Amino acid sequence: MSGNGFTHFDDSGNAVMVDVSAKETTSRSATAKGEISVGAEVMAAVRDRTAAKGDVLGVARIAGISAAKRTAELIPLCHLLNFDKCAVDFSLDTDDVESNIIEARCTVKLSGKTGAEMEALTGVSVALLTVYDMCKAIDKTMVIGNIRLCEKSGGRSGHFVGKPN
Amino acid sequence: MSGNGFTHFDDSGNAVMVDVSAKETTSRSATAKGEISVGAEVMAAVRDRTAAKGDVLGVARIAGISAAKRTAELIPLCHLLNFDKCAVDFSLDTDDVESNIIEARCTVKLSGKTGAEMEALTGVSVALLTVYDMCKAIDKTMVIGNIRLCEKSGGRSGHFVGKPN
Amino acid sequence: MSGNGFTHFDDSGNAVMVDVSAKETTSRSATAKGEISVGAEVMAAVRDRTAAKGDVLGVARIAGISAAKRTAELIPLCHLLNFDKCAVDFSLDTDDVESNIIEARCTVKLSGKTGAEMEALTGVSVALLTVYDMCKAIDKTMVIGNIRLCEKSGGRSGHFVGKPN
Amino acid sequence: MSGNGFTHFDDSGNAVMVDVSAKETTSRSATAKGEISVGAEVMAAVRDRTAAKGDVLGVARIAGISAAKRTAELIPLCHLLNFDKCAVDFSLDTDDVESNIIEARCTVKLSGKTGAEMEALTGVSVALLTVYDMCKAIDKTMVIGNIRLCEKSGGRSGHFVGKPN
Amino acid sequence: MSGNGFTHFDDSGNAVMVDVSAKETTSRSATAKGEISVGAEVMAAVRDRTAAKGDVLGVARIAGISAAKRTAELIPLCHLLNFDKCAVDFSLDTDDVESNIIEARCTVKLSGKTGAEMEALTGVSVALLTVYDMCKAIDKTMVIGNIRLCEKSGGRSGHFVGKPN
Amino acid sequence: MSGNGFTHFDDSGNAVMVDVSAKETTSRSATAKGEISVGAEVMAAVRDRTAAKGDVLGVARIAGISAAKRTAELIPLCHLLNFDKCAVDFSLDTDDVESNIIEARCTVKLSGKTGAEMEALTGVSVALLTVYDMCKAIDKTMVIGNIRLCEKSGGRSGHFVGKPN
């Protein structure tokens, strides 16, 4: 480590993949969440679609899971990790008619020497990008946000629970 | 198109890659932005790093460009597009000491039959995920957000400019 | 070409990617089909699923489209081609109660110097492998077969139509 | 599991990667087979080629092994698995002059929490697609089929042996 | 361009993919070469193998072609290019008994806005790495070298011919 | 093994991925080195850049690490391995004004059944190709060479140390 808290740089300031050879293999899991805010028209269309085959969220779920598995190809200093499980879910905030929020949640479980949070965050991000792609012909002003780690267990740093919402 | 505004479903409701065979090849460009909010410690460390080799933002820039090029592998119904240019930039909002915002911006230019917005949005998302990865040993409460299309030109739908900030 | 009909070998018998530099860019399309024969239990489950979100065939469709786009990574001497369109569809042969056949069909359209048949065949193959994967906990005796080119147009070799069924 | 035998859906019917965290790591192996039926001209050419460098089956073997390793990228809900071994072999049925069958066989061995059958089936499929690609200038009526699991050992479900041929 | 000859940095010193949007699409080709020096035992084994199926150089040829096609995934600021042709060849310097040199040559042809030299160099490099991999059980002191651009045509910078050998 | 020292061919001469199922999982590490010889103008520009953000060697470092992780996709018969660590470093030989050598060094650590040397060699190769890409607008006569294994430990074959320089 380079003295100022970063683990991804060596003493000369060069980027490195963190050495986890001395760490123990433990069961780990992480859950991340994120949102896309959409217009009323998109929200209605997505909601209608979820009952049909080939639905928006079904495609986005597969995209999110597939991307989570490939995190180490996308994030340069991430370790390749073999998953025990990966799930992507969505919930539609239908209470607040103004906001029209689609929330995505990704949980990754694995047995390894380093954590699963980047994988969960990547799964959420690509799932939301896929929702965007499928709805962009209707609305170009959608915004993706609030992507954060919600929970993480296993590993040396112990159990982490993010702030409520 | 399936009658309710979606272009990514056929009449039976099955997901399809949009048929662009009848569209003309035109010059297109798109710019997307997004942010990661970080703690004061991360902000100080990132700022210090940007003057050194192997810096956080330098790694994230390469990750963003590399991911933008591979958008069609990540987003299931995206067309593969050959870029003319791709750039990822960052700016640090140092005015607001509380917020500690790192903003990422990705611009993609290409000559093709369909737009560049998903590529720009993917570049921004993966760049921000990489910042997260490199800073997560310091701070696990970072939030990625405000990922949106800022500008898009070329193609049938004309020039789009997103809302200011 | 090496004298015995192969285009993928040079005069010394070495494998090469065919030189298409002298060929014209034309609109091309290809359709391939294939089948998976499944037990009655799988057929009933798949049929039930197709009305629900996250259905077997919806996942397989996305897998087939994604794989078709990556054909040039899988088939060593294939040219990378940018698609205009890709669609994967399924039909269930419910007449013949014994056979329990799920048929997959993949159509690829592109503008290029070489054909789209390998892409369509790859899309069908991976779609059927994905159906297999999702049903294998129920039945390990499924068989994938009858994968063939049904139609191909554009390019020097003219319009090809496969034998009926 | 969702009550009707599928392991790839949760209780709400959403596609998930099966949770194998509670399973033990065991030695596993799987063998799959498949065929491509070709015309007499292709068969003669392939047979001649197998004695020369750069032969059709040599290229297809490498394609099959390479694809088997990447199964988790192709089949959305497959777990990434690190192989202990992968082999692809071919045999030419020269007895039946009419059928002109090239048979491909792929065996995968690994140590993991879940089986190797999708990897073996993917290896066979891509090997056969590669044979198709290399011979399609001679014959466009080839058919790929009879892709099935022949044997599988290790793991909770015990030893599986497919029907003879 | 940033004033000191680099095209891959903007005025602020940030890495960018070069903007080729104003360049014309032209036919381009590039040839690169490289070598691996091996011990006498490896040389004898490789030479024997080249007459048999599954030979060392046949596998390395496929690896080189496959890698050349994926150059844009490996070299961060390379543009994705669709090849017209790619060939990898080898020659064995059998005159100089001491040196035991296996030379690899990769030629890439394409129609695009930017050159093919990185693709040819990548094809040579991965072909030689594959030879290394297949022979390393016999000899761990092999050295890969002399990887250079031999010829390049098309594009603004005109015809380039490297120094003899 | 096929009798003449190759481990990557079976008894029939067919290429196979070596069976490591009977080998023990051990800690392994490998270091490889390689060089690129550049002109005086490139050397001056690279040296100036290393103090700035977005530097040549910073980009090449990320490319090398990313490629090392993907070795099993590039080298057909390599096993997929999960890294414990990967680092790429550079040193500039500034003593010999004539040679203008940039040396790259890649170290890979992992826990597995087979070695890390191909991964280290791939990391070095792609790092040097990236340096080439970023400097080729200035100099087309650069040569990449002297890529070799320097040290390897762990595994049955014991500790290997390459010849000095």
Side-chain angles (χ1 to χ4, degrees):
Chain A
M1 203 181 300
S2 61
N4 61 1
F6 283 111
T7 53
H8 275 314
F9 293 105
D10 64 15
D11 291 340
S12 311
N14 297 323
V16 291
M17 194 190 281
V18 180
D19 188 348
V20 298
S21 58
K23 294 173 94 171
E24 271 183 273
T25 297
T26 59
S27 291
R28 289 151 189 275
S29 90
T31 298
K33 286 186 184 172
E35 307 168 350
I36 184 167
S37 67
V38 302
E41 191 186 355
V42 166
M43 185 53 108
V46 168
R47 210 184 286 120
D48 292 352
R49 275 297 177 192
T50 55
K53 67 176 167 172
D55 62 293
V56 170
L57 303 183
V59 176
R61 180 178 290 113
I62 296 305
I65 293 172
S66 297
K69 290 195 280 183
R70 300 179 70 184
T71 299
E73 288 184 36
L74 296 173
I75 314 293
L77 302 176
C78 267
H79 294 77
L80 177 63
L81 296 168
N82 298 27
F83 290 12
D84 280 342
K85 182 196 171 176
C86 182
V88 171
D89 285 304
F90 298 92
S91 59
L92 308 185
D93 180 349
T94 52
D95 293 344
D96 184 345
V97 179
E98 298 295 307
S99 69
N100 285 317
I101 295 294
I102 300 172
E103 186 186 70
R105 182 176 64 250
C106 178
T107 297
V108 171
K109 292 175 68 173
L110 58 88
S111 176
K113 293 178 175 175
T114 183
E117 71 247 65
M118 290 318 301
E119 286 70 19
L121 289 160
T122 300
V124 161
S125 297
V126 173
L128 293 170
L129 287 167
T130 302
V131 173
Y132 190 107
D133 179 48
M134 300 186 77
C135 299
K136 70 182 192 293
I138 307 177
D139 183 358
K140 283 183 177 46
T141 64
M142 295 173 286
V143 180
I144 294 173
N146 208 12
I147 299 173
R148 77 277 185 200
L149 181 64
C150 295
E151 191 167 355
K152 177 169 142 53
S153 65
R156 205 167 41 191
S157 64
H159 195 190
F160 167 85
V161 180
K163 283 173 288 191
N165 209 21
Chain B
M1 203 182 298
S2 62
N4 60 1
F6 282 112
T7 53
H8 275 314
F9 293 105
D10 64 17
D11 290 339
S12 312
N14 297 322
V16 291
M17 194 190 281
V18 180
D19 188 348
V20 298
S21 57
K23 295 173 93 171
E24 272 184 272
T25 296
T26 58
S27 291
R28 289 151 188 275
S29 88
T31 299
K33 287 186 183 172
E35 306 170 350
I36 184 168
S37 66
V38 302
E41 191 186 355
V42 166
M43 185 53 107
V46 169
R47 209 183 287 120
D48 291 353
R49 274 298 176 194
T50 54
K53 66 176 167 173
D55 63 292
V56 170
L57 302 183
V59 176
R61 179 178 291 114
I62 296 304
I65 293 172
S66 297
K69 290 195 281 182
R70 301 179 70 183
T71 298
E73 288 185 36
L74 296 172
I75 314 294
L77 303 176
C78 268
H79 294 76
L80 178 63
L81 297 168
N82 298 25
F83 291 12
D84 280 342
K85 182 197 171 176
C86 182
V88 172
D89 284 304
F90 298 92
S91 58
L92 307 185
D93 179 349
T94 51
D95 293 343
D96 184 345
V97 179
E98 298 294 307
S99 69
N100 285 317
I101 296 293
I102 300 172
E103 186 185 69
R105 182 176 63 250
C106 178
T107 298
V108 171
K109 292 174 70 172
L110 57 88
S111 176
K113 294 178 175 176
T114 183
E117 70 247 64
M118 290 317 301
E119 286 70 17
L121 289 160
T122 300
V124 161
S125 297
V126 173
L128 292 171
L129 287 166
T130 302
V131 173
Y132 190 108
D133 179 48
M134 300 187 78
C135 300
K136 70 182 191 295
I138 307 177
D139 182 358
K140 284 183 177 45
T141 65
M142 295 174 286
V143 180
I144 293 173
N146 208 12
I147 299 173
R148 77 276 185 201
L149 181 63
C150 295
E151 190 166 357
K152 177 168 142 53
S153 65
R156 207 167 39 190
S157 64
H159 195 191
F160 167 84
V161 181
K163 283 173 290 191
N165 208 22
Chain C
M1 205 182 297
S2 62
N4 60 1
F6 282 114
T7 52
H8 274 315
F9 294 104
D10 64 16
D11 292 337
S12 314
N14 296 323
V16 291
M17 194 189 279
V18 180
D19 187 347
V20 299
S21 57
K23 294 173 94 172
E24 272 183 90
T25 297
T26 58
S27 290
R28 290 151 188 273
S29 89
T31 299
K33 288 186 183 172
E35 306 169 351
I36 183 168
S37 66
V38 302
E41 192 185 355
V42 166
M43 184 53 106
V46 169
R47 210 184 287 122
D48 292 353
R49 275 297 176 193
T50 54
K53 66 176 169 175
D55 63 294
V56 171
L57 303 183
V59 176
R61 179 178 290 113
I62 296 306
I65 293 172
S66 298
K69 289 195 282 182
R70 300 178 71 183
T71 299
E73 288 185 37
L74 296 172
I75 314 292
L77 303 176
C78 268
H79 294 77
L80 178 63
L81 297 168
N82 298 27
F83 291 11
D84 279 344
K85 181 197 171 175
C86 182
V88 171
D89 283 305
F90 298 93
S91 60
L92 307 185
D93 179 349
T94 52
D95 292 344
D96 184 344
V97 179
E98 298 294 307
S99 69
N100 285 318
I101 296 293
I102 300 171
E103 187 185 68
R105 185 177 59 251
C106 178
T107 296
V108 171
K109 293 174 70 172
L110 58 86
S111 176
K113 294 179 177 176
T114 183
E117 70 247 64
M118 291 317 302
E119 285 71 17
L121 289 161
T122 300
V124 162
S125 297
V126 173
L128 292 171
L129 286 167
T130 302
V131 172
Y132 190 108
D133 179 47
M134 300 186 78
C135 300
K136 71 181 192 294
I138 307 177
D139 183 358
K140 283 181 176 49
T141 65
M142 295 174 286
V143 180
I144 294 173
N146 207 11
I147 299 173
R148 77 278 185 199
L149 182 64
C150 296
E151 191 167 355
K152 175 168 142 56
S153 66
R156 207 166 38 188
S157 63
H159 194 191
F160 166 84
V161 180
K163 283 173 289 191
N165 207 22
Chain D
M1 204 182 297
S2 63
N4 59 4
F6 283 113
T7 52
H8 275 315
F9 294 105
D10 64 16
D11 291 339
S12 313
N14 296 322
V16 291
M17 193 189 282
V18 180
D19 188 347
V20 299
S21 58
K23 295 174 93 171
E24 272 183 272
T25 297
T26 59
S27 291
R28 290 151 188 273
S29 89
T31 299
K33 287 187 184 171
E35 305 169 351
I36 183 167
S37 66
V38 302
E41 192 185 355
V42 166
M43 185 52 105
V46 168
R47 212 184 285 122
D48 291 353
R49 275 298 176 194
T50 54
K53 66 176 169 173
D55 63 294
V56 170
L57 303 183
V59 176
R61 180 178 291 114
I62 295 306
I65 293 173
S66 297
K69 289 195 282 182
R70 301 177 70 182
T71 298
E73 288 185 36
L74 296 173
I75 315 292
L77 303 176
C78 267
H79 294 77
L80 178 63
L81 296 169
N82 298 27
F83 291 11
D84 280 343
K85 181 195 171 177
C86 182
V88 171
D89 284 304
F90 298 92
S91 59
L92 308 185
D93 179 348
T94 53
D95 292 343
D96 184 344
V97 178
E98 298 295 307
S99 69
N100 285 319
I101 295 293
I102 299 172
E103 187 186 68
R105 184 176 62 250
C106 178
T107 297
V108 171
K109 293 173 70 173
L110 57 86
S111 177
K113 294 178 175 175
T114 184
E117 70 247 64
M118 290 317 301
E119 286 71 17
L121 290 161
T122 300
V124 162
S125 298
V126 173
L128 293 170
L129 287 167
T130 302
V131 173
Y132 191 107
D133 179 47
M134 300 186 79
C135 300
K136 69 180 193 294
I138 307 177
D139 183 359
K140 283 182 176 49
T141 65
M142 295 174 287
V143 179
I144 293 173
N146 208 11
I147 299 173
R148 77 279 186 199
L149 181 63
C150 296
E151 191 166 357
K152 175 168 143 55
S153 66
R156 208 167 39 190
S157 63
H159 195 191
F160 167 84
V161 180
K163 283 174 288 191
N165 209 22
Chain E
M1 204 182 298
S2 62
N4 60 3
F6 283 113
T7 52
H8 275 315
F9 293 104
D10 64 16
D11 291 339
S12 312
N14 296 323
V16 291
M17 193 189 282
V18 180
D19 188 347
V20 299
S21 58
K23 294 173 93 171
E24 271 183 272
T25 297
T26 58
S27 291
R28 290 152 188 272
S29 89
T31 298
K33 287 187 182 170
E35 305 169 351
I36 183 167
S37 66
V38 302
E41 192 185 356
V42 166
M43 185 52 105
V46 168
R47 211 183 287 123
D48 291 352
R49 273 300 174 194
T50 54
K53 67 177 168 173
D55 62 293
V56 171
L57 304 183
V59 176
R61 179 177 291 113
I62 296 305
I65 293 172
S66 298
K69 289 194 283 182
R70 302 178 70 182
T71 299
E73 288 185 36
L74 296 172
I75 314 294
L77 303 176
C78 268
H79 294 76
L80 179 62
L81 297 169
N82 298 27
F83 291 11
D84 280 342
K85 182 195 171 177
C86 181
V88 171
D89 284 303
F90 298 93
S91 58
L92 307 186
D93 179 348
T94 52
D95 293 343
D96 184 345
V97 179
E98 298 294 307
S99 69
N100 285 318
I101 295 293
I102 299 172
E103 187 186 68
R105 185 176 61 251
C106 178
T107 297
V108 171
K109 293 174 69 172
L110 58 86
S111 176
K113 294 178 177 176
T114 183
E117 70 247 63
M118 290 318 301
E119 287 70 18
L121 289 161
T122 300
V124 161
S125 297
V126 173
L128 293 170
L129 286 167
T130 302
V131 173
Y132 191 107
D133 179 46
M134 299 187 79
C135 299
K136 70 181 191 295
I138 306 177
D139 182 359
K140 283 183 176 50
T141 64
M142 294 173 288
V143 179
I144 293 173
N146 208 12
I147 298 173
R148 78 275 186 202
L149 181 64
C150 296
E151 191 165 357
K152 176 169 143 53
S153 65
R156 205 168 40 191
S157 63
H159 195 191
F160 167 84
V161 181
K163 283 174 288 191
N165 206 24
Chain F
M1 204 182 295
S2 62
N4 61 2
F6 282 113
T7 52
H8 275 314
F9 293 104
D10 64 17
D11 292 337
S12 313
N14 297 323
V16 291
M17 194 189 279
V18 180
D19 187 347
V20 299
S21 57
K23 294 173 94 171
E24 272 184 272
T25 297
T26 58
S27 290
R28 291 152 187 273
S29 88
T31 299
K33 287 186 183 172
E35 306 170 350
I36 184 167
S37 66
V38 302
E41 191 185 355
V42 166
M43 184 53 106
V46 169
R47 209 183 287 121
D48 292 352
R49 275 299 176 190
T50 54
K53 66 176 168 174
D55 63 293
V56 171
L57 302 183
V59 176
R61 178 179 290 112
I62 295 306
I65 293 172
S66 297
K69 289 195 282 182
R70 301 178 70 181
T71 298
E73 288 185 35
L74 296 172
I75 315 292
L77 303 176
C78 267
H79 294 77
L80 178 62
L81 296 169
N82 299 26
F83 291 10
D84 280 344
K85 181 196 171 176
C86 182
V88 171
D89 284 303
F90 298 92
S91 60
L92 307 185
D93 180 349
T94 52
D95 292 344
D96 184 345
V97 178
E98 298 294 307
S99 69
N100 285 318
I101 295 294
I102 299 172
E103 187 185 69
R105 184 177 61 249
C106 178
T107 297
V108 171
K109 293 174 70 173
L110 57 88
S111 176
K113 294 179 177 176
T114 183
E117 69 247 64
M118 291 317 302
E119 285 71 18
L121 288 161
T122 300
V124 161
S125 297
V126 173
L128 293 171
L129 287 167
T130 303
V131 173
Y132 190 108
D133 180 47
M134 300 186 77
C135 300
K136 70 181 191 293
I138 306 177
D139 183 358
K140 282 181 177 46
T141 64
M142 295 174 286
V143 179
I144 294 173
N146 208 10
I147 299 173
R148 78 279 186 197
L149 181 63
C150 295
E151 191 166 357
K152 176 168 142 57
S153 65
R156 208 167 37 190
S157 63
H159 194 191
F160 167 84
V161 180
K163 283 174 289 191
N165 207 23

